[in-house]
Amino acid sequence: MESESHPIAIVNCGQLVTLAGPARPRVGQQLRDLSIIDSGVMLVRNGRIETLGRHQEVKGQLTPEYEVIDAEGRAILPGFVDAHTHIVFAGTRADEYELRATGATYQQIAEAGGGIRSTVRKTRDASEGALFNAAERYSNWFLRTGTTTIEAKSGYGLSLVDEIKILRVIRRLNRTTPLECVPTFFGAHEIPDEYRGRTREYAELVAREMLPEVAEQELAEYCDVFCEPGVFDVPTSRSILTSARKLSFGLRVHADQLSQSGGAEMAAELGAATADHLEHVAERGIEALQRAGVQPVLLPASVYTLGSKRFAPARRMIEAGLGIVLATDFNPGSSPTPSIPFVLSLACTQMGMTPAEAITAATINAAWSLGRGTEIGSLEAGKRANFVIHDCRDYREIPYFAGIESAMAVFVRGEPVTAKTPCPENIGARVPQ
Ligand code: NIG
Ligand code: FE
């Protein structure tokens, strides 16, 4: 729905971080080029960017019909695009978080019946309304940290009715909150308790019953599989993803997360949109992704939360020419954070990425990975006016000042959406004098 309110002009932007550039995922040196306009002005009409440029170039078009928002020298960025989240779940796993702090590992907890399967039990018991209320709360967390689009996976239902229930919650979130949600069916996230030891039968249920129903109800754009020995091995993952591809789903894969199993090579072979995690990817996996044009989605907050030091080899992937993406992996177990700024900090301090590379990975590259590169992810004339006024003058301060919320005013389709600063007048009130 396009907004038909009066046009707005964002003036006095210290840095208008546009990310304008080639209409494809950015690779190599391009990742460092944010196309920043100093002293910029951006005009927005009917929810879309009308024009933008230096004040001198645009001022002639700034007629009295525009409502003027003075950014007072701050940095303006596109809304972040978070290309990997598990936003719909019941309860938390704060108890397991404490257990891990005292030495238990993620895998040990999972083997003892905790982990993903414990969230599945709680999610199955929850009503659609209760799940929506929880997810709506989390969607506000995404918005207020500056994220305006997320990919949202199902995967804590693991039965036809429960997976559909979760996907319906995602659809409702997309329709009723300002956060855009791109739905992914993730029935192959884990083997449910009642199918323990019968992985093949469960995989057949996913492929023969769940996927066709999800397709029929148009509840998801993508299909994901947790490709990992002991969960879905490569042949089983391949067979589920091949069925999904026949039904026209785009493909995403949890690949090489806990071990090197060849998930990246399989994602390349199937022409997946993304291969995600990749902490254990092999060199041949990186080369296969490059040849097939698969984008890697790196999730350093899950490495951090699990207390591991093994971050995905981001520098090697950039050197290999991959269209690298960064995302939160927001979920109740391995990554309970919705904050892209926190992920940017981790990318800079733990993965050797520069602030510019990290921002490109969490905006325009993430948008391309979701098939929305022409619509969101950069500030360019004609694109959706999803942008954020950050409370800093230099974009590098977003990862640098770790642990604060730099996003001050968040706009979706040209409308302010965050409760923190609902009216532009408040922006001035917070400027340090
Ligand atoms: O991406 N690897 C599998 N899935 C999630 C974890 C989900 C959970 O622990 O609940 C991940 O890390
Ligand atoms: Fe995940």
Side-chain angles (χ1 to χ4, degrees):
M1 206 174 47
E2 304 282 297
S3 159
E4 284 182 13
S5 55
H6 45 89
I8 57 173
I10 321 296
V11 303
N12 201 5
C13 306
Q15 291 182 332
L16 199 45
V17 181
T18 71
L19 288 114
R24 55 177 182 274
R26 310 292 160 75
V27 298
Q29 276 299 327
Q30 296 167 349
L31 286 157
R32 296 193 181 198
D33 181 5
L34 299 181
S35 294
I36 297 173
I37 300 171
D38 293 320
S39 305
V41 171
M42 181 164 72
L43 304 185
V44 171
R45 186 185 291 272
N46 296 335
R48 293 199 173 259
I49 298 168
E50 189 174 30
T51 190
L52 70 181
R54 288 181 65 87
H55 179 75
Q56 289 301 323
E57 297 156 9
V58 180
K59 69 176 183 201
Q61 295 174 56
L62 197 50
T63 55
E65 67 171 324
Y66 289 92
E67 180 196 344
V68 173
I69 295 172
D70 188 349
E72 299 184 306
R74 295 192 176 80
I76 315 298
L77 272 75
F80 294 125
V81 178
D82 190 340
H84 184 135
T85 85
H86 309 246
I87 189 179
V88 182
F89 56 85
T92 75
R93 301 225 295 276
D95 52 347
E96 294 180 6
Y97 183 78
E98 184 180 34
L99 282 175
R100 287 203 304 273
T102 55
T105 68
Y106 183 73
Q107 280 109 317
Q108 283 166 347
I109 292 169
E111 277 153 26
I116 296 170
R117 286 185 292 144
S118 78
T119 299
V120 169
R121 290 192 282 274
K122 292 179 218 165
T123 305
R124 286 177 171 181
D125 285 346
S127 68
E128 196 171 314
L131 283 176
F132 177 79
N133 291 343
E136 190 184 36
R137 173 169 175 247
Y138 303 139
S139 67
N140 281 322
W141 292 355
F142 280 100
L143 287 167
R144 76 180 208 210
T145 51
T147 295
T148 49
T149 297
I150 63 167
E151 181 258 15
K153 301 177 196 295
S154 64
Y156 292 113
L158 310 187
S159 70
L160 180 61
V161 284
D162 292 300
E163 286 295 304
I164 298 275
K165 176 173 76 175
I166 294 168
L167 290 168
R168 284 168 51 90
V169 169
I170 295 170
R171 181 161 69 185
R172 188 170 155 205
L173 277 180
N174 189 45
R175 289 181 178 169
T176 62
T177 77
L179 184 69
E180 181 187 21
C181 299
V182 180
T184 293
F185 168 66
F186 195 20
H189 187 192
E190 181 45 295
I191 319 296
D193 289 341
E194 65 276 17
Y195 278 89
R196 273 340 253 180
R198 295 190 293 140
T199 303
R200 235 190 46 207
E201 282 168 62
Y202 182 65
E204 277 171 19
L205 178 76
V206 169
R208 299 213 180 132
E209 288 185 34
M210 296 191 198
L211 271 169
E213 187 60 29
V214 172
E216 170 72 22
Q217 295 193 37
E218 298 182 4
L219 281 166
E221 289 181 34
Y222 291 93
C223 174
D224 196 341
V225 171
F226 186 14
C227 180
E228 189 71 36
V231 192
F232 299 95
D233 60 14
V234 168
T236 312
S237 300
R238 182 187 284 114
S239 119
I240 294 169
L241 290 167
T242 304
S243 301
R245 197 171 55 177
K246 285 191 193 134
L247 291 165
S248 303
F249 288 94
L251 308 182
R252 314 181 87 81
V253 190
H254 279 67
D256 299 322
Q257 177 184 9
L258 305 172
S259 61
Q260 190 184 110
S261 67
E265 290 88 325
M266 182 203 61
E269 166 202 323
L270 296 176
T274 65
D276 303 39
H277 280 287
L278 302 172
E279 287 87 358
H280 290 78
V281 70
E283 176 58 26
R284 64 180 177 281
I286 293 177
E287 288 162 10
L289 295 178
Q290 197 278 331
R291 279 194 300 273
V294 179
Q295 290 187 259
V297 180
L298 308 187
L299 309 163
S302 65
V303 179
Y304 161 85
T305 302
L306 297 183
S308 163
K309 301 270 177 290
R310 187 164 182 149
F311 291 89
R315 284 255 61 92
R316 172 66 200 117
M317 292 177 184
I318 292 171
E319 190 189 312
L322 300 186
I324 193 165
V325 177
L326 285 166
T328 62
D329 195 16
F330 177 64
N331 74 68
S334 67
S335 193
T337 178
S339 171
I340 286 284
F342 175 55
V343 167
L344 302 179
S345 283
L346 290 173
C348 296
T349 60
Q350 310 298 312
M351 300 168 93
M353 292 176 71
T354 68
E357 288 172 333
I359 286 170
T360 304
T363 53
I364 188 66
N365 276 13
W368 281 111
S369 86
L370 292 171
R372 283 159 170 74
T374 58
E375 185 69 3
I376 55 173
S378 64
L379 303 177
E380 297 180 80
K383 279 192 152 180
R384 216 182 285 166
N386 291 0
F387 64 93
V388 180
I389 303 176
H390 286 270
D391 194 14
C392 58
R393 283 159 209 281
D394 180 331
Y395 73 87
R396 292 174 297 191
E397 293 174 25
I398 297 170
Y400 165 77
F401 281 122
I404 57 131
E405 281 183 6
S406 65
M408 216 169 132
V410 179
F411 292 75
V412 169
R413 297 177 193 262
E415 297 288 335
V417 297
T418 46
K420 196 167 54 175
T421 49
C423 23
E425 285 78 11
N426 289 353
I427 296 170
R430 292 187 52 200
V431 184
Q433 297 302 318

